[in-house]
Amino acid sequence: MATFEPVLTKGVGQLDLTDVAAYRKNGGFVALEKALKDMTPESIIAEVTASNLRGRGGAGFPTGKKWGFLPKDGRPRYLVCNCDEAEPGTFKDHMLLEQTPLQLIEGLILSAYAINAAHIVVYIRGEFLEGYRIFMRALSAAREAGYVGDNLLGSGYSADILVHRGAGAYICGEETAMLESIEGKRGEPRLKPPFPANAGLFGMPTVVNNVETLCCIPHILTRGAAWFASIGPPKSPGPKIISVSGQVQKPGNYEIPMGLPAGELLQDYAGGLLPGRTLKAIQPGGGSSAAIFAEDLHTGIDYDSLAAKQTMLGSGGFVVMDDTTCMVRASMTLVRFFEYESCGQCTPCREGGQWVHRILRRLEAGEGSDADLLVLNTINDTLTGTNLCPLGDSIMPFLLSVLRRFPQEFAEHVTLAGCPFDPARRMVAA
Amino acid sequence: MAEHGDAQAALIPFLQYCQEQDGYVTQQAVSDAAALTGITDGEVESIVSFYSLLFQHPVGKHIIHACRTLSCMLGGADRLHEHIRRRLGVRNGETSADGEFTYQEVECLAACDKAPCLQHNLQFHYNVTPEEFDRLLETWRAQPAGAALPAE
Ligand SMILES: Cc1cc2nc3c(=O)[nH]c(=O)nc-3n(C[C@H](O)[C@H](O)[C@H](O)COP(=O)(O)O)c2cc1C
Ligand code: SF4
Ligand code: FES
């Protein structure tokens, strides 16, 4: 059974953690008080590095290392918080923003202090209107209580937080597109290098971190790097929130120790499959990740174990599909997502996404051909690895994984001239 | 933000504010934004067109964003969307004949555990069945119009 004691979600659903007093009672602001009194920025970076915390935004880059890349050239630095969560199947940052915004604020101030950032910008997805309002209330409460603003707790350190509301574009979650967007431009990813550490927001040294990454920081400082590093596999440790959705009994966010076998998450936390169903596929790390299958349920949920299965932990969006779900349909839905969200700069991403979407749509409508199947099986070589940002390389992984696993299901859409799961063709009426 | 970099950083917040007042980004707002930030009207338009929550044309007082991505699809989004289109007499992306409701199918809204979900003027509604939608429609019709996409 689920026995892991929650860290990031402690008190969520029981206490009103948007209230400063309640958050303090829950252990909040202890790290900030300790750090501003007794810790130097260097010692915080050392502690975060020793914890082996890896970024929770998708790429899993070591946080301490990222902070250490900033050039020491005296230019003003920026800390940008990525709260643009829009990866299919992922809803953890949305929850952290609404349920425990003061934890995010504490993480932001600690991180800004550690990297000596002059300015903090929080980029909140435009659709999160309620989350934005909650965050703004929490921010003014934290300011009033002396945790945000000038000369924090008498330390001489000052930090303020600015909020930028997104205007609708998944690609703005990519860190350089986000910087463009904050600068008032179209959210198109930049060519790297230069990396944001050298030339980020307004050309200044910048760190971009995910909401959940930042929420880990206070706990690492209060309980120590060794404690954090001891949870789960040493190279991929810590508590991790997994967003479980799809065809399970109890969808929701679950905080697990890294490395928990996928089957235990499914069974013990999410209540298992719906009655009478069997498992068909799981997308373990958001819309960009390749599927795992029933024989993979022993696989640990962490960066390296999932990479060894040719997929990824990614954003932690865990979508479960059972035997009633058509894999052509599921792939079509995801490819349509990437087609729609492509910023259009790169031809393979822009044109390839459209092409693959049209083929899957034809198959689903019963108008597909063997030639279509051939394209699906071969287009990857030109579509993937030829794009400026990882979005273009996210179009194919799920589709290829289920195409390899269920070739007969794709072929049947041609021989039956329709979808075996949807004989009435209701789904393609739109 | 503009005080940090250049004036263009004020562009999107300015457009969001204009849209809250006028319902969409009017030609006047485009020209004002261009004057404010020192770029051309064409550049402003290209930026507006990039973002799905900025509208270049008038829209209804009620904006319905219904999620169509994988988890919502698994939760029955197709059936719900078919129902909504029929009820409002629209196709995806259109505004109802009375000009009241704009309907847009959108991508993952980060509420996938409560599928299918939708937003009405950016307020979430979860686990929406066709019957629940009809009930919501009545309350929206009865409700005084606020800003379709509130900036604050
Ligand atoms: C297409 C695309 C979308 C992304 N969306 C998000 C997102 O919504 N939230 C996020 O934190 N990171 C997202 N990322 C990853 C960011 O580029 C960046 O790596 C991350 O914010 C860094 O934070 P971390 O080191 O704390 O993980 C996205 C990346 C790509 C390529
Ligand atoms: S890969 Fe796609 S989303 Fe990324 S920069 Fe190229 S066109 Fe834009
Ligand atoms: S798939 Fe609909 S909210 Fe995520």
Side-chain angles (χ1 to χ4, degrees):
Chain A
M1 262 322 287
T3 51
F4 181 65
E5 195 171 319
V7 178
L8 306 170
T9 57
K10 183 180 159 209
V12 167
Q14 290 138 32
L15 306 169
D16 174 15
L17 296 175
T18 66
D19 175 67
V20 172
Y23 176 64
R24 285 186 56 118
K25 234 177 162 167
N26 201 45
F29 290 127
V30 171
L32 189 57
E33 283 165 16
K34 169 178 149 177
L36 289 181
K37 263 199 210 83
D38 310 327
M39 294 182 82
T40 61
E42 295 73 32
S43 64
I44 296 178
I45 296 183
E47 197 71 12
V48 171
T49 306
S51 76
N52 284 340
L53 169 64
R54 292 170 66 172
R56 305 309 199 214
F61 195 83
T63 306
K65 200 166 163 185
K66 183 186 271 192
W67 292 2
F69 281 152
L70 291 169
K72 295 177 183 62
D73 56 7
R75 287 183 295 158
R77 296 168 169 183
Y78 285 89
L79 173 65
V80 174
C81 170
N82 191 335
C83 187
D84 195 42
E85 183 169 60
E87 180 71 25
T90 315
F91 44 92
K92 64 187 176 71
D93 299 339
H94 189 192
M95 177 274 290
L96 288 169
L97 178 72
E98 291 189 351
Q99 299 293 323
T100 176
L102 291 165
Q103 177 175 244
L104 175 58
I105 290 168
E106 186 177 9
L108 280 164
I109 301 291
L110 285 167
S111 307
Y113 175 66
I115 63 169
N116 195 16
H119 312 285
I120 302 171
V121 181
V122 181
Y123 190 104
I124 299 181
R125 182 174 173 185
E127 285 85 350
F128 296 170
L129 176 64
E130 193 57 31
Y132 163 77
R133 288 175 172 161
I134 292 170
F135 185 81
M136 294 311 275
R137 280 197 296 272
L139 182 57
S140 48
R143 219 178 254 133
E144 246 164 65
Y147 294 111
V148 177
D150 288 335
N151 189 19
L152 296 177
L153 312 174
S155 66
Y157 177 71
S158 303
D160 207 355
I161 297 177
L162 293 167
V163 176
H164 179 101
R165 284 192 68 206
Y170 163 74
I171 193 57
C172 290
E174 194 280 335
E175 56 186 13
T176 61
M178 175 165 290
L179 301 177
E180 291 286 300
S181 181
I182 297 171
E183 292 179 5
K185 303 174 188 152
R186 290 163 65 93
E188 289 168 352
R190 298 175 181 170
L191 203 60
K192 295 193 249 185
F195 291 94
N198 278 304
L201 191 56
F202 306 121
M204 295 300 157
T206 301
V207 164
V208 182
N209 273 133
N210 168 261
V211 169
E212 188 185 359
T213 310
L214 293 162
C215 286
C216 289
I217 305 298
H219 304 284
I220 292 171
L221 298 187
T222 33
R223 297 165 82 164
W227 159 80
F228 192 89
S230 73
I231 300 170
K235 284 194 184 148
S236 179
K240 176 79 192 91
I241 303 170
I242 304 292
S243 305
V244 183
S245 67
Q247 291 160 316
V248 296
Q249 301 263 7
K250 290 190 295 177
N253 279 308
Y254 296 104
E255 187 175 353
I256 61 164
M258 278 282 195
L260 186 85
E264 281 183 39
L265 174 64
L266 173 59
Q267 211 52 50
D268 300 347
Y269 288 76
L273 299 170
L274 304 176
R277 308 276 180 92
T278 54
L279 182 65
K280 190 161 184 181
I282 296 174
Q283 196 170 41
S288 313
S289 62
I292 59 172
F293 306 100
E295 67 275 16
D296 302 319
L297 287 177
H298 63 278
T299 307
I301 299 177
D302 61 79
Y303 294 103
D304 301 319
S305 307
L306 286 165
K309 288 276 168 194
Q310 272 71 53
T311 180
M312 60 179 186
L313 175 59
S315 60
F318 191 94
V319 185
V320 179
M321 287 157 266
D322 67 28
D323 56 332
T324 63
T325 294
C326 170
M327 290 296 116
V328 175
R329 178 76 193 171
S331 308
M332 188 197 94
T333 306
L334 288 167
V335 171
R336 180 179 62 193
F337 170 84
F338 291 113
E339 179 203 351
Y340 182 76
E341 299 292 352
S342 168
C343 83
Q345 285 190 102
C346 317
T347 312
C349 171
R350 186 186 64 239
E351 303 295 325
Q354 282 182 29
W355 193 8
V356 175
H357 175 205
R358 276 201 303 269
I359 289 177
L360 291 168
R361 212 181 154 72
R362 271 207 295 279
L363 287 172
E364 193 57 4
E367 292 152 11
S369 67
D370 288 336
D372 286 331
L373 295 177
L374 187 67
V375 174
L376 290 187
N377 277 299
T378 51
I379 196 173
N380 191 50
D381 296 343
T382 36
L383 210 167
T384 303
T386 48
N387 297 294
L388 202 147
C389 93
L391 188 149
D393 295 351
S394 301
I395 299 170
M396 293 302 289
F398 177 80
L399 166 60
L400 279 185
S401 65
V402 298
L403 180 62
R404 287 200 186 109
R405 173 63 182 238
F406 305 104
Q408 71 293 352
E409 189 168 314
F410 282 75
E412 249 179 4
H413 280 73
V414 177
T415 51
L416 296 177
C419 176
F421 294 85
D422 181 26
R425 298 194 196 180
R426 291 190 55 192
M427 294 222 176
V428 283
Chain B
M1 197 76 61
E3 63 202 65
H4 290 281
D6 51 30
Q8 197 171 332
L11 180 70
I12 293 172
F14 177 77
L15 294 171
Q16 286 165 331
Y17 172 79
C18 292
Q19 178 164 284
E20 181 175 32
Q21 305 302 307
D22 305 330
Y24 72 107
V25 179
T26 60
Q27 202 51 51
Q28 186 62 47
V30 168
S31 305
D32 291 349
L36 178 75
T37 58
I39 61 176
T40 66
D41 285 18
E43 285 169 313
V44 174
E45 275 162 10
S46 139
I47 292 162
V48 173
S49 72
F50 186 85
Y51 294 99
S52 65
L53 294 179
L54 294 177
F55 298 113
Q56 292 178 286
H57 306 286
V59 290
K61 288 195 304 241
H62 303 272
I63 299 179
I64 298 169
H65 285 147
C67 176
R68 67 180 183 186
T69 315
L70 183 58
S71 306
C72 284
M73 185 276 271
L74 294 169
D78 292 288
R79 201 168 72 90
L80 174 67
H81 299 172
E82 208 183 306
H83 175 83
I84 298 176
R85 285 186 227 112
R86 213 178 27 239
R87 270 310 299 262
L88 298 177
V90 294
R91 283 176 303 190
N92 183 20
E94 291 179 346
T95 299
S96 58
D98 60 6
E100 291 283 305
F101 290 89
T102 297
Y103 173 66
Q104 182 75 51
E105 288 164 22
V106 298
E107 302 296 347
C108 182
L109 289 168
C112 331
D113 54 338
K114 305 181 192 77
C117 68
L118 57 78
Q119 289 196 319
H120 166 259
N121 294 355
L122 301 186
Q123 295 284 343
F124 272 104
H125 297 276
Y126 300 122
N127 299 118
V128 183
T129 58
E131 300 70 45
E132 170 72 1
F133 178 81
D134 290 345
R135 208 187 53 73
L136 287 170
L137 196 56
E138 292 317 307
T139 61
W140 297 334
R141 283 215 161 103
Q143 171 176 303
L149 297 184
E152 285 295 329

